[in-house]
């Protein structure tokens, strides 16, 4: 019986706008050795300790990525105040937020996706945060990002999209107290638009607003019958939700009504081309419209006193459907990530239609479209997508998986789990297939792979030791990135909870610090793991797979030599070329073959012609 744990979090004497009080005794990640210890049997009265630890680690990673002046309750002892002058070039305070990955730039576009993803997970499986006593840390994590996005949106017609120059930043390798400048601030606005960035930020604000309104999408129950596993996290705060919704509405207006028209944000801010350029904005317009429909509806139901000029829930939903058709988003099999949210809209459309939200209709239509896509995911050998399975069982998308193999697979697992757990499947067999495949990708990430490596830093003795993180490495010379400190020693500071990029398509993982393809960390890498873990806390008494991984088993299977990827090409000899290398080789061989065939045909024609001339001469 899990009902006693519903009172784990008591939120009394909290100001209407204030965030939840953090525990007086801070939760800290345990030593990696704890990850190799199985729990003693199943206990349905408490959440599984190992799943709860994993959730805590994943949230802790975001705290390590914080920028700006750190609060007095900062848990990451080796972090310092940093980048405390951000925004000064624009006469604004743009301090705070998160460093995007292993470096020190701050970018709104991928952060918006990250916050959207995590808030969506908090809506669907928020009980997992409550049961593991991590909801106050979730609140802290979300607000650190959302409050910075609020700063980045100083007025209706402006959104700052990046702080710091990636060219300067990429040349620096060192701690957080000597970050080089200048750190310029880049904006989109009414004249120089960025439809994708504005709509993406609107989706983040709207989805998180819906979470803080206490909104739900999935009222069904799975797993332990005493708990509604799909209840939202206990974060309800109407005042904060109102603030977030205000920014969501204004940014959507900037996205669709800018006098400069609709445009990719890198057209207005070429500097983001080197970091996070966008491939389109139709998906962001649809995603933002759907979340605004939900959030405005929740605001009305909460009797909010919010005073903004917005469309009705029905109008936002209609706009979302209109953009969905205008940009021909149906029938796609793309990955779900910070750049492309298309396939995620299939799931959200289906969730809304199943619950009869204002404007949503045609559940069977959205069920069919969602399952068309998800069926391709769980059958990656089909000819309907660009995915395949590695020999070790990882879902691998040629192109998208090349520079971060785990992220596409985990995002797919998250969508499969969300859809199946929401009771949307057309039959029980399909539900079982979706959940089983999602579990296989999660297990792979947690150590059920040919390397015997749980790909989360600090979780297990076999976890990666050398994440590509300037902050945690302890080194200060970019030319000595792999020798100071030595790779065998690992990074100076353990970046607990960081999901790394992942192995190559041959399931090989080299754990080399300079190999940003396999070892870099990023805000969006952790997002799907949070949602999957929160669900398992409620539904799973059995330990996560990493407790079964033998300590040191990875030592016997470490690959020899060097990787072959966009970061390191030393291993690009022999038969194990990168996908790009094989494509290039195929092109060369194909062209060469055509040339050879052409020469052969020409030679035969000449030979035949000569023979013909000889015969004619004989007749003469």
């Amino acid at each position: 019986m899990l009902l006693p744990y519903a009172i784990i979090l008591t939120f009394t004497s909290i100001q209407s706008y204030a965030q939840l009080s953090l525990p007086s005794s801070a939760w800290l990640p345990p030593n990696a050795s704890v990850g190799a210890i199985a729990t003693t049997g199943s206990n349905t009265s408490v959440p599984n300790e190992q799943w709860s630890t994993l959730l805590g680690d994943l949230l802790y990673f975001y705290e390590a990525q914080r920028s700006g002046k750190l609060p007095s309750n900062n848990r990451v002892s080796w972090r310092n105040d940093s980048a405390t002058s951000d925004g000064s070039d624009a006469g604004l305070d743009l301090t705070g937020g998160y460093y995007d990955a292993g470096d020190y730039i701050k970018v709104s576009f991928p952060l918006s996706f990250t916050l959207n993803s995590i808030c969506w997970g908090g809506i669907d499986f928020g009980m997992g945060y409550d049961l593991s006593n991590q909801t106050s840390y979730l609140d802290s994590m979300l607000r650190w990002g959302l409050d910075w996005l609020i700063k980045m949106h100083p007025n209706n017609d402006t959104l700052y999209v990046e702080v710091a120059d990636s060219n300067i930043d990429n040349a620096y390798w060192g701690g957080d107290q000597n970050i080089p400048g200048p750190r310029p601030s880049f904006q989109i606005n009414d004249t120089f638009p960025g439809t994708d960035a504005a709509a993406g930020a609107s989706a983040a604000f709207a989805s998180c607003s819906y979470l803080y309104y206490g909104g739900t999408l999935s009222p069904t129950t799975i797993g332990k019958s005493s708990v509604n596993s799909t209840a939202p996290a206990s974060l309800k705060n109407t005042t904060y939700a109102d603030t977030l919704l205000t920014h969501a509405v204004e940014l959507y207006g900037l996205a669709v009504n800018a006098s400069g028209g609709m445009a990719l944000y890198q057209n207005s801010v070429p500097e983001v081309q080197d970091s996070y350029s966008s491939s389109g904005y139709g998906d962001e317009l649809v995603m933002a419209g759907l979340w605004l429909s939900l959030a405005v509806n929740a605001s009305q139901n909460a009797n909010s006193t919010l005073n903004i000029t917005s469309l009705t829930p029905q109008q936002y939903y209609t706009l979302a459907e209109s953009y969905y058709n205008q940009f021909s988003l149906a029938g796609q099999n793309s990955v779900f990530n910070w750049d492309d949210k298309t396939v995620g809209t299939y799931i959200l459309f289906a969730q809304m239609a199943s619950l009869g939200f204002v404007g949503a209709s045609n559940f069977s239509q959205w069920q069919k479209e969602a399952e068309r896509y998800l069926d391709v995911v769980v059958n990656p050998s089909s000819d309907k997508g660009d995915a395949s399975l590695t020999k070790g069982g990882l879902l691998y998308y040629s192109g998208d998986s090349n520079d971060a193999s785990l992220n596409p697979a985990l995002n797919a697992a998250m969508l499969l789990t969300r859809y199946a757990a929401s009771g949307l499947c057309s039959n029980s067999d399909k539900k079982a297939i979706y959940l089983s495949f999602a579990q296989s990708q999660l297990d792979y990430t947690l150590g059920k792979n040919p390397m015997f490596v749980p790909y989360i830093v600090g979780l297990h003795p076999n976890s990666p030791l050398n994440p590509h993180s300037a902050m945690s490495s302890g080194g200060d010379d970019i030319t000595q990135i792999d020798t100071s400190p030595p790779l065998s020693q690992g990074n100076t500071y353990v970046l607990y909870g960081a999901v790394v990029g992942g192995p190559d398509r041959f399931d090989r993982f080299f754990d080399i610090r300079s190999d940003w393809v396999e070892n870099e960390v990023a805000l969006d890498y952790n997002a799907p793991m949070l949602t999957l873990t929160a669900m398992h806390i409620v539904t799973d008494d059995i330990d996560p797979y990493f407790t079964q991984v033998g300590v040191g088993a990875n030592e016997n299977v470490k690959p020899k030599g060097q990787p072959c990827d966009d970061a390191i090409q030393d291993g690009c000899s022999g038969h194990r070329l990168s996908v790009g290398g094989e494509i290039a080789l195929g092109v060369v061989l194909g062209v060469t073959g055509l040339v050879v065939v052409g020469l052969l045909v020409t030679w035969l024609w000449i030979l035949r012609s000569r023979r013909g001339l000889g015969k004619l001469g004989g007749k003469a």
Side-chain angles (χ1 to χ4, degrees):
M1 187 75 173
L2 284 175
L3 287 177
Y5 279 81
I7 59 172
I8 284 178
L9 300 173
T10 56
F11 310 129
T12 58
S13 303
I14 297 175
Q15 297 179 359
S16 61
Y17 191 81
Q19 70 183 54
L20 303 182
S21 298
L22 295 170
S24 56
S25 179
W27 185 91
L28 295 173
N31 184 276
S33 61
V34 174
I37 302 173
T39 60
T40 55
S42 64
N43 187 342
T44 59
S45 65
V46 295
N48 180 280
E49 184 178 350
Q50 290 287 14
W51 281 114
S52 295
T53 294
L54 175 55
L55 190 73
D57 279 10
L58 293 166
L59 283 172
Y60 184 89
F61 161 72
Y62 289 100
E63 203 156 311
Q65 294 292 112
R66 284 179 171 178
S67 176
K69 183 173 177 56
L70 302 180
S72 59
N73 55 15
N74 165 53
R75 294 181 290 168
V76 188
S77 60
W78 48 272
R79 281 300 321 281
N80 304 282
D81 295 346
S82 60
T84 54
S85 298
D86 281 358
S88 59
D89 63 312
L92 296 170
D93 173 14
L94 300 182
T95 61
Y98 293 103
Y99 296 121
D100 170 73
D103 46 24
Y104 295 102
I105 63 171
K106 301 189 299 188
V107 192
S108 70
F109 195 48
L111 174 63
S112 295
F113 170 76
T114 299
L115 294 171
N116 185 359
S117 177
I118 295 174
C119 283
W120 194 358
I123 292 164
D124 285 338
F125 306 114
M127 183 62 72
Y129 293 96
D130 288 1
L131 294 175
S132 59
N133 205 23
Q134 291 289 333
T135 302
S136 59
Y137 289 115
L138 171 65
D139 187 33
S140 179
M141 176 270 152
L142 290 174
R143 288 177 185 249
W144 195 269
L146 291 165
D147 290 350
W148 179 72
L149 275 183
I150 289 172
K151 290 182 178 182
M152 297 283 277
H153 181 222
N155 58 64
N156 290 3
D157 296 334
T158 304
L159 175 69
Y160 282 84
V161 295
E162 181 170 315
V163 176
D165 187 322
S166 59
N167 292 320
I168 296 174
D169 199 70
N170 287 339
Y172 173 69
W173 187 261
D176 58 13
Q177 293 188 296
N178 297 299
I179 301 172
R183 290 176 59 82
S185 309
F186 303 99
Q187 65 168 276
I188 59 169
N189 52 49
D190 182 63
T191 307
F192 298 96
T195 310
D196 35 20
S202 177
F205 279 125
S207 59
C208 293
S209 173
Y210 191 64
L211 172 62
Y212 280 96
Y213 279 129
T216 183
L217 282 168
S218 309
T220 60
T221 299
I222 61 173
K224 302 171 185 177
S225 59
S226 58
V227 173
N228 180 2
S229 63
T230 52
S234 301
L235 288 174
K236 190 169 184 179
N237 186 315
T238 300
T239 304
Y240 193 55
D242 285 350
T243 298
L244 300 179
L245 182 54
T246 300
H247 287 275
V249 169
E250 291 175 353
L251 282 164
Y252 195 72
L254 177 61
V256 302
N257 297 320
S259 61
M262 291 188 179
L264 298 173
Y265 83 125
Q266 63 261 27
N267 293 344
S268 297
V269 185
E271 289 78 6
V272 302
Q273 190 75 46
D274 296 328
S275 54
Y276 288 95
S277 62
S278 170
S279 60
Y281 47 76
D283 52 324
E284 281 86 20
L285 289 171
V286 174
M287 187 66 83
L290 292 178
W291 283 114
L292 278 164
S293 177
L294 289 164
V296 171
N297 185 63
S299 172
Q300 294 173 352
N301 291 337
N303 296 317
S304 168
T305 58
L306 185 63
N307 184 23
I308 57 171
T309 302
S310 68
L311 304 178
T312 66
Q314 169 74 57
Q315 288 172 319
Y316 279 120
Y317 186 89
T318 300
L319 273 175
E321 279 194 317
S322 175
Y323 286 127
Y324 180 88
N325 293 324
Q326 178 182 338
F327 291 97
S328 303
L329 298 187
Q332 297 192 21
N333 296 315
S334 56
V335 300
F336 181 62
N337 61 19
W338 59 265
D339 180 37
D340 194 343
K341 294 88 173 174
T342 300
V343 296
T345 67
Y346 304 159
I347 311 303
L348 186 55
F349 267 121
Q351 285 183 300
M352 294 175 67
S354 72
L355 297 178
F357 275 104
V358 178
S361 59
N362 297 324
F363 170 66
S364 61
Q365 168 197 341
W366 295 115
Q367 181 188 57
K368 182 178 180 180
E369 179 66 347
E371 293 186 7
R372 177 205 59 77
Y373 164 69
L374 296 175
D375 286 347
V376 173
V377 172
V378 300
N379 293 284
S381 60
S382 72
D383 59 359
K384 297 180 181 179
D386 295 324
S388 60
L389 288 180
T390 67
K391 288 184 178 180
L394 178 66
L395 180 66
Y396 197 96
Y397 289 84
S398 179
D400 289 286
S401 299
N402 292 11
D403 287 344
S405 62
L406 295 176
N407 189 245
L410 287 173
N411 274 322
M414 177 183 66
L415 293 180
L416 285 162
T417 300
R418 167 173 288 121
Y419 185 85
S422 297
L424 304 179
C425 292
S426 56
N427 59 69
S428 58
D429 289 343
K430 197 174 287 286
K431 176 179 177 179
I433 291 170
Y434 289 173
L435 290 176
S436 176
F437 189 87
Q439 187 67 45
S440 73
Q441 300 308 297
L442 180 59
D443 286 346
Y444 184 103
T445 304
L446 296 180
K448 193 175 184 180
N449 56 66
M451 295 286 99
F452 303 107
V453 172
Y455 289 110
I456 299 176
V457 179
L459 183 66
H460 184 279
N462 295 10
S463 291
L465 297 176
N466 299 289
H468 182 90
S469 164
M471 286 185 292
S472 72
S473 74
D476 59 6
D477 184 348
I478 198 168
T479 66
Q480 302 295 321
I481 188 172
D482 288 332
T483 56
S484 178
L487 294 177
S488 59
Q489 177 181 316
N491 284 13
T492 300
Y493 306 107
V494 180
L495 194 59
Y496 286 103
V499 178
V500 298
D504 66 14
R505 67 193 185 97
F506 300 105
D507 301 295
R508 302 177 305 169
F509 183 72
F510 291 83
D511 200 11
I512 297 174
R513 193 177 299 123
S514 62
D515 188 12
W516 54 264
V517 170
E518 294 192 3
N519 279 54
E520 188 155 22
V521 300
L523 301 178
D524 62 305
Y525 291 0
N526 273 46
M529 275 299 301
L530 274 170
T531 295
L532 291 166
T533 303
M535 188 274 286
H536 275 277
I537 287 171
V538 182
T539 64
D540 209 341
D541 298 321
I542 302 172
D543 284 341
Y545 189 84
F546 58 80
T547 63
Q548 302 179 43
V549 179
V551 175
N554 58 321
E555 294 295 330
N556 300 322
V557 293
K558 281 187 176 180
K560 305 296 183 182
Q562 294 283 310
C564 174
D565 54 38
D566 287 341
I568 300 175
Q569 288 80 46
D570 293 351
C572 294
S573 61
H575 67 284
R576 287 191 165 177
L577 291 174
S578 67
V579 173
E582 289 189 344
I583 292 173
L585 180 60
V587 171
V588 171
L589 290 176
V591 172
T592 303
L594 289 173
V595 172
V596 170
V597 170
L599 290 173
L600 181 60
V601 170
T602 302
W603 180 77
L604 289 173
W605 181 84
I606 293 172
L607 183 60
R608 184 175 180 181
S609 298
R610 287 180 175 175
R611 287 178 178 172
L613 287 172
K615 290 178 181 178
L616 289 172
K619 288 180 180 179

